[in-house]
Amino acid sequence: MNGTGLWAPLEIRPGDVGAGSGAGGLAAYLDSVDLEALLVREKALVFRGFQVPQDGLDAVLERLLPRRIAYVHGNSPRTKVGSNLYTSTEYPAAYTISMHNELSYAHAWPARLVFYCAVAPASRGATPLVDGRLWLESLDDEVREAFAGGVCYTQNLHGGSGLGKSWQDTFETRDRDEVDAFLAGTGARWGWGPEDGLRVSQVRPSTARHPVTGEEVWFNQCDQWHPAALGDETAKALAQIMPVDELPQSVTFADGSPIPDAYVLQVRDRGLEHARDVDWHEGDVLLIDNMLVAHGRRPFTGPRRILVSMSD
């Protein structure tokens, strides 16, 4: 592990806890501890050296994630490979994925995430983690105060052909009535447009308090939804194609006013600056509290395959 800041995830190895290796050894260890208390205290746990094979992963997930949920209303590209088991975000290897809490833009989000290393990258490819309280405290007062009223996320989801994700992939259904029923319980505003497109807008808070610890943490994805974080050339090219509010995803302050580029870039850069890297070895398992800790991805070379599952 490396990075800045005082917090770091707890690494647990078989020899340190008197456990056997493989899925059976890790499952037996998990049965012997108060996992809820351990995770709340440490915020993230790295199970290393157990060398869990992929065909033994379900036995481990049953203990780590008691109620596995589907990645519904998710905005990142990924492939479903098992029972509520997905590839991690399928984004070009040369780029960094900035820090974020999974589905923090949605009306409901997973409480826990598990990452599993099926294939380690040839080089780099760490999953950086940042303490959400530290991330919030690292921001300038001006930025924290500006976000106090929350943010508004907007998605433009095509019906099968277009830029970004389709609503069918996003909601894992081809039934518009199912989408309407789902969105009706979220507090979002939505409408169906031409060519079977769907526009969804939702106002969400920029911070959240953990239900157990009471800690206030930075909890939004303004930088990942804002064109400023795409880089000057990409943002300029997109602006020539379509207005900001017609992009696949965009974000403003809750009142609809624009978020200054400098604020977004500070959020992105401070999160990465205070992150601790978890480097991957085949068979590693990482469990995180999705409110207390945000995650990202470093660039990598080689075939890197990290799987992810989540629970409420």
Side-chain angles (χ1 to χ4, degrees), residues 116-140:
Y116 168 74
C117 181
V119 179
S123 68
R124 305 181 69 193
T127 292
L129 304 177
V130 66
D131 181 330
R133 179 184 55 80
L134 175 62
W135 192 5
L136 175 62
E137 292 174 352
S138 75
L139 301 175
D140 293 352

PDB file of all heavy atoms in Angstrom, residues 116-140:
ATOM      1  N   TYR A 116     -12.588  -8.488  -6.771  1.00  0.00           N
ATOM      2  CA  TYR A 116     -11.860  -9.758  -6.813  1.00  0.00           C
ATOM      3  C   TYR A 116     -10.911  -9.728  -8.012  1.00  0.00           C
ATOM      4  O   TYR A 116     -11.321  -9.379  -9.131  1.00  0.00           O
ATOM      5  CB  TYR A 116     -12.831 -10.925  -6.957  1.00  0.00           C
ATOM      6  CG  TYR A 116     -12.165 -12.233  -7.302  1.00  0.00           C
ATOM      7  CD1 TYR A 116     -11.442 -12.947  -6.349  1.00  0.00           C
ATOM      8  CD2 TYR A 116     -12.243 -12.746  -8.600  1.00  0.00           C
ATOM      9  CE1 TYR A 116     -10.816 -14.143  -6.677  1.00  0.00           C
ATOM     10  CE2 TYR A 116     -11.626 -13.938  -8.933  1.00  0.00           C
ATOM     11  CZ  TYR A 116     -10.910 -14.634  -7.967  1.00  0.00           C
ATOM     12  OH  TYR A 116     -10.284 -15.817  -8.299  1.00  0.00           O
ATOM     13  N   CYS A 117      -9.665 -10.113  -7.786  1.00  0.00           N
ATOM     14  CA  CYS A 117      -8.673 -10.108  -8.860  1.00  0.00           C
ATOM     15  C   CYS A 117      -8.630 -11.482  -9.531  1.00  0.00           C
ATOM     16  O   CYS A 117      -8.052 -12.430  -8.987  1.00  0.00           O
ATOM     17  CB  CYS A 117      -7.294  -9.745  -8.316  1.00  0.00           C
ATOM     18  SG  CYS A 117      -6.020  -9.681  -9.604  1.00  0.00           S
ATOM     19  N   ALA A 118      -9.253 -11.571 -10.704  1.00  0.00           N
ATOM     20  CA  ALA A 118      -9.206 -12.809 -11.484  1.00  0.00           C
ATOM     21  C   ALA A 118      -7.919 -12.885 -12.298  1.00  0.00           C
ATOM     22  O   ALA A 118      -7.320 -13.963 -12.433  1.00  0.00           O
ATOM     23  CB  ALA A 118     -10.415 -12.882 -12.414  1.00  0.00           C
ATOM     24  N   VAL A 119      -7.477 -11.750 -12.839  1.00  0.00           N
ATOM     25  CA  VAL A 119      -6.223 -11.666 -13.592  1.00  0.00           C
ATOM     26  C   VAL A 119      -5.528 -10.379 -13.186  1.00  0.00           C
ATOM     27  O   VAL A 119      -6.100  -9.286 -13.334  1.00  0.00           O
ATOM     28  CB  VAL A 119      -6.473 -11.672 -15.116  1.00  0.00           C
ATOM     29  CG1 VAL A 119      -5.147 -11.551 -15.861  1.00  0.00           C
ATOM     30  CG2 VAL A 119      -7.224 -12.929 -15.542  1.00  0.00           C
ATOM     31  N   ALA A 120      -4.322 -10.488 -12.665  1.00  0.00           N
ATOM     32  CA  ALA A 120      -3.571  -9.302 -12.243  1.00  0.00           C
ATOM     33  C   ALA A 120      -2.991  -8.596 -13.470  1.00  0.00           C
ATOM     34  O   ALA A 120      -2.617  -9.243 -14.453  1.00  0.00           O
ATOM     35  CB  ALA A 120      -2.455  -9.700 -11.295  1.00  0.00           C
ATOM     36  N   PRO A 121      -2.899  -7.267 -13.430  1.00  0.00           N
ATOM     37  CA  PRO A 121      -2.301  -6.549 -14.558  1.00  0.00           C
ATOM     38  C   PRO A 121      -0.807  -6.834 -14.655  1.00  0.00           C
ATOM     39  O   PRO A 121      -0.164  -7.224 -13.669  1.00  0.00           O
ATOM     40  CB  PRO A 121      -2.565  -5.079 -14.207  1.00  0.00           C
ATOM     41  CG  PRO A 121      -2.686  -5.061 -12.716  1.00  0.00           C
ATOM     42  CD  PRO A 121      -3.323  -6.367 -12.346  1.00  0.00           C
ATOM     43  N   ALA A 122      -0.243  -6.638 -15.837  1.00  0.00           N
ATOM     44  CA  ALA A 122       1.203  -6.816 -16.006  1.00  0.00           C
ATOM     45  C   ALA A 122       1.969  -5.764 -15.215  1.00  0.00           C
ATOM     46  O   ALA A 122       3.029  -6.043 -14.635  1.00  0.00           O
ATOM     47  CB  ALA A 122       1.561  -6.745 -17.491  1.00  0.00           C
ATOM     48  N   SER A 123       1.438  -4.554 -15.178  1.00  0.00           N
ATOM     49  CA  SER A 123       2.039  -3.491 -14.374  1.00  0.00           C
ATOM     50  C   SER A 123       0.979  -2.481 -13.987  1.00  0.00           C
ATOM     51  O   SER A 123      -0.031  -2.325 -14.657  1.00  0.00           O
ATOM     52  CB  SER A 123       3.170  -2.783 -15.138  1.00  0.00           C
ATOM     53  OG  SER A 123       2.645  -2.042 -16.230  1.00  0.00           O
ATOM     54  N   ARG A 124       1.207  -1.820 -12.848  1.00  0.00           N
ATOM     55  CA  ARG A 124       0.316  -0.790 -12.310  1.00  0.00           C
ATOM     56  C   ARG A 124      -1.089  -1.343 -12.116  1.00  0.00           C
ATOM     57  O   ARG A 124      -1.269  -2.468 -11.695  1.00  0.00           O
ATOM     58  CB  ARG A 124       0.365   0.461 -13.194  1.00  0.00           C
ATOM     59  CG  ARG A 124       1.780   1.013 -13.393  1.00  0.00           C
ATOM     60  CD  ARG A 124       1.784   2.264 -14.241  1.00  0.00           C
ATOM     61  NE  ARG A 124       1.150   3.376 -13.507  1.00  0.00           N
ATOM     62  CZ  ARG A 124       0.790   4.512 -14.086  1.00  0.00           C
ATOM     63  NH1 ARG A 124       0.969   4.691 -15.393  1.00  0.00           N
ATOM     64  NH2 ARG A 124       0.242   5.476 -13.373  1.00  0.00           N
ATOM     65  N   GLY A 125      -2.127  -0.527 -12.393  1.00  0.00           N
ATOM     66  CA  GLY A 125      -3.496  -1.012 -12.299  1.00  0.00           C
ATOM     67  C   GLY A 125      -4.051  -1.125 -10.902  1.00  0.00           C
ATOM     68  O   GLY A 125      -5.020  -1.857 -10.661  1.00  0.00           O
ATOM     69  N   ALA A 126      -3.467  -0.394  -9.945  1.00  0.00           N
ATOM     70  CA  ALA A 126      -3.970  -0.440  -8.570  1.00  0.00           C
ATOM     71  C   ALA A 126      -5.379   0.130  -8.489  1.00  0.00           C
ATOM     72  O   ALA A 126      -5.816   0.923  -9.335  1.00  0.00           O
ATOM     73  CB  ALA A 126      -3.041   0.335  -7.644  1.00  0.00           C
ATOM     74  N   THR A 127      -6.092  -0.262  -7.444  1.00  0.00           N
ATOM     75  CA  THR A 127      -7.366   0.360  -7.088  1.00  0.00           C
ATOM     76  C   THR A 127      -7.087   1.330  -5.941  1.00  0.00           C
ATOM     77  O   THR A 127      -6.827   0.903  -4.816  1.00  0.00           O
ATOM     78  CB  THR A 127      -8.399  -0.696  -6.654  1.00  0.00           C
ATOM     79  OG1 THR A 127      -8.764  -1.485  -7.786  1.00  0.00           O
ATOM     80  CG2 THR A 127      -9.654  -0.034  -6.089  1.00  0.00           C
ATOM     81  N   PRO A 128      -7.086   2.642  -6.206  1.00  0.00           N
ATOM     82  CA  PRO A 128      -6.860   3.606  -5.126  1.00  0.00           C
ATOM     83  C   PRO A 128      -8.118   3.746  -4.270  1.00  0.00           C
ATOM     84  O   PRO A 128      -9.236   3.683  -4.782  1.00  0.00           O
ATOM     85  CB  PRO A 128      -6.540   4.904  -5.861  1.00  0.00           C
ATOM     86  CG  PRO A 128      -7.217   4.763  -7.187  1.00  0.00           C
ATOM     87  CD  PRO A 128      -7.233   3.297  -7.514  1.00  0.00           C
ATOM     88  N   LEU A 129      -7.925   3.924  -2.968  1.00  0.00           N
ATOM     89  CA  LEU A 129      -9.022   4.126  -2.024  1.00  0.00           C
ATOM     90  C   LEU A 129      -8.771   5.423  -1.263  1.00  0.00           C
ATOM     91  O   LEU A 129      -7.632   5.723  -0.905  1.00  0.00           O
ATOM     92  CB  LEU A 129      -9.109   2.970  -1.026  1.00  0.00           C
ATOM     93  CG  LEU A 129      -9.248   1.552  -1.578  1.00  0.00           C
ATOM     94  CD1 LEU A 129      -9.251   0.545  -0.430  1.00  0.00           C
ATOM     95  CD2 LEU A 129     -10.513   1.403  -2.411  1.00  0.00           C
ATOM     96  N   VAL A 130      -9.831   6.164  -0.981  1.00  0.00           N
ATOM     97  CA  VAL A 130      -9.674   7.383  -0.197  1.00  0.00           C
ATOM     98  C   VAL A 130     -10.739   7.428   0.895  1.00  0.00           C
ATOM     99  O   VAL A 130     -11.899   7.078   0.663  1.00  0.00           O
ATOM    100  CB  VAL A 130      -9.737   8.652  -1.089  1.00  0.00           C
ATOM    101  CG1 VAL A 130     -11.107   8.849  -1.713  1.00  0.00           C
ATOM    102  CG2 VAL A 130      -9.318   9.890  -0.303  1.00  0.00           C
ATOM    103  N   ASP A 131     -10.332   7.827   2.076  1.00  0.00           N
ATOM    104  CA  ASP A 131     -11.221   8.036   3.212  1.00  0.00           C
ATOM    105  C   ASP A 131     -12.131   9.224   2.883  1.00  0.00           C
ATOM    106  O   ASP A 131     -11.655  10.339   2.649  1.00  0.00           O
ATOM    107  CB  ASP A 131     -10.344   8.324   4.438  1.00  0.00           C
ATOM    108  CG  ASP A 131     -11.128   8.546   5.711  1.00  0.00           C
ATOM    109  OD1 ASP A 131     -12.277   9.030   5.644  1.00  0.00           O
ATOM    110  OD2 ASP A 131     -10.590   8.255   6.787  1.00  0.00           O
ATOM    111  N   GLY A 132     -13.450   8.992   2.851  1.00  0.00           N
ATOM    112  CA  GLY A 132     -14.384  10.039   2.452  1.00  0.00           C
ATOM    113  C   GLY A 132     -14.388  11.247   3.369  1.00  0.00           C
ATOM    114  O   GLY A 132     -14.622  12.373   2.926  1.00  0.00           O
ATOM    115  N   ARG A 133     -14.127  11.043   4.657  1.00  0.00           N
ATOM    116  CA  ARG A 133     -14.056  12.172   5.593  1.00  0.00           C
ATOM    117  C   ARG A 133     -12.835  13.027   5.273  1.00  0.00           C
ATOM    118  O   ARG A 133     -12.919  14.269   5.237  1.00  0.00           O
ATOM    119  CB  ARG A 133     -13.992  11.657   7.017  1.00  0.00           C
ATOM    120  CG  ARG A 133     -13.890  12.748   8.083  1.00  0.00           C
ATOM    121  CD  ARG A 133     -13.730  12.151   9.481  1.00  0.00           C
ATOM    122  NE  ARG A 133     -12.592  11.246   9.552  1.00  0.00           N
ATOM    123  CZ  ARG A 133     -11.321  11.644   9.684  1.00  0.00           C
ATOM    124  NH1 ARG A 133     -11.032  12.941   9.735  1.00  0.00           N
ATOM    125  NH2 ARG A 133     -10.355  10.772   9.753  1.00  0.00           N
ATOM    126  N   LEU A 134     -11.692  12.374   5.013  1.00  0.00           N
ATOM    127  CA  LEU A 134     -10.474  13.094   4.671  1.00  0.00           C
ATOM    128  C   LEU A 134     -10.646  13.853   3.358  1.00  0.00           C
ATOM    129  O   LEU A 134     -10.204  14.999   3.228  1.00  0.00           O
ATOM    130  CB  LEU A 134      -9.304  12.111   4.565  1.00  0.00           C
ATOM    131  CG  LEU A 134      -7.964  12.687   4.105  1.00  0.00           C
ATOM    132  CD1 LEU A 134      -7.458  13.735   5.083  1.00  0.00           C
ATOM    133  CD2 LEU A 134      -6.935  11.569   3.939  1.00  0.00           C
ATOM    134  N   TRP A 135     -11.308  13.238   2.397  1.00  0.00           N
ATOM    135  CA  TRP A 135     -11.548  13.895   1.103  1.00  0.00           C
ATOM    136  C   TRP A 135     -12.363  15.163   1.302  1.00  0.00           C
ATOM    137  O   TRP A 135     -12.025  16.231   0.780  1.00  0.00           O
ATOM    138  CB  TRP A 135     -12.266  12.924   0.185  1.00  0.00           C
ATOM    139  CG  TRP A 135     -12.354  13.313  -1.253  1.00  0.00           C
ATOM    140  CD1 TRP A 135     -11.790  14.400  -1.860  1.00  0.00           C
ATOM    141  CD2 TRP A 135     -13.056  12.608  -2.279  1.00  0.00           C
ATOM    142  NE1 TRP A 135     -12.096  14.420  -3.199  1.00  0.00           N
ATOM    143  CE2 TRP A 135     -12.861  13.340  -3.495  1.00  0.00           C
ATOM    144  CE3 TRP A 135     -13.821  11.442  -2.305  1.00  0.00           C
ATOM    145  CZ2 TRP A 135     -13.418  12.918  -4.706  1.00  0.00           C
ATOM    146  CZ3 TRP A 135     -14.366  11.031  -3.509  1.00  0.00           C
ATOM    147  CH2 TRP A 135     -14.167  11.759  -4.689  1.00  0.00           C
ATOM    148  N   LEU A 136     -13.421  15.089   2.088  1.00  0.00           N
ATOM    149  CA  LEU A 136     -14.252  16.251   2.367  1.00  0.00           C
ATOM    150  C   LEU A 136     -13.439  17.347   3.050  1.00  0.00           C
ATOM    151  O   LEU A 136     -13.499  18.522   2.664  1.00  0.00           O
ATOM    152  CB  LEU A 136     -15.437  15.848   3.239  1.00  0.00           C
ATOM    153  CG  LEU A 136     -16.349  16.964   3.740  1.00  0.00           C
ATOM    154  CD1 LEU A 136     -17.007  17.696   2.580  1.00  0.00           C
ATOM    155  CD2 LEU A 136     -17.409  16.405   4.693  1.00  0.00           C
ATOM    156  N   GLU A 137     -12.664  16.981   4.050  1.00  0.00           N
ATOM    157  CA  GLU A 137     -11.881  17.958   4.799  1.00  0.00           C
ATOM    158  C   GLU A 137     -10.772  18.578   3.964  1.00  0.00           C
ATOM    159  O   GLU A 137     -10.314  19.693   4.249  1.00  0.00           O
ATOM    160  CB  GLU A 137     -11.286  17.300   6.045  1.00  0.00           C
ATOM    161  CG  GLU A 137     -12.333  16.911   7.081  1.00  0.00           C
ATOM    162  CD  GLU A 137     -11.750  16.123   8.240  1.00  0.00           C
ATOM    163  OE1 GLU A 137     -10.555  15.741   8.157  1.00  0.00           O
ATOM    164  OE2 GLU A 137     -12.482  15.882   9.221  1.00  0.00           O
ATOM    165  N   SER A 138     -10.322  17.881   2.921  1.00  0.00           N
ATOM    166  CA  SER A 138      -9.220  18.383   2.089  1.00  0.00           C
ATOM    167  C   SER A 138      -9.652  19.495   1.136  1.00  0.00           C
ATOM    168  O   SER A 138      -8.809  20.222   0.612  1.00  0.00           O
ATOM    169  CB  SER A 138      -8.619  17.235   1.272  1.00  0.00           C
ATOM    170  OG  SER A 138      -9.470  16.865   0.189  1.00  0.00           O
ATOM    171  N   LEU A 139     -10.947  19.641   0.922  1.00  0.00           N
ATOM    172  CA  LEU A 139     -11.439  20.652  -0.020  1.00  0.00           C
ATOM    173  C   LEU A 139     -11.413  22.041   0.602  1.00  0.00           C
ATOM    174  O   LEU A 139     -11.598  22.202   1.816  1.00  0.00           O
ATOM    175  CB  LEU A 139     -12.871  20.312  -0.448  1.00  0.00           C
ATOM    176  CG  LEU A 139     -13.068  18.957  -1.126  1.00  0.00           C
ATOM    177  CD1 LEU A 139     -14.549  18.713  -1.389  1.00  0.00           C
ATOM    178  CD2 LEU A 139     -12.274  18.876  -2.426  1.00  0.00           C
ATOM    179  N   ASP A 140     -11.206  23.043  -0.221  1.00  0.00           N
ATOM    180  CA  ASP A 140     -11.233  24.423   0.256  1.00  0.00           C
ATOM    181  C   ASP A 140     -12.617  24.746   0.805  1.00  0.00           C
ATOM    182  O   ASP A 140     -13.631  24.237   0.310  1.00  0.00           O
ATOM    183  CB  ASP A 140     -10.904  25.390  -0.877  1.00  0.00           C
ATOM    184  CG  ASP A 140      -9.465  25.271  -1.365  1.00  0.00           C
ATOM    185  OD1 ASP A 140      -8.677  24.550  -0.718  1.00  0.00           O
ATOM    186  OD2 ASP A 140      -9.141  25.888  -2.402  1.00  0.00           O
TER     187      ASP A 140
END
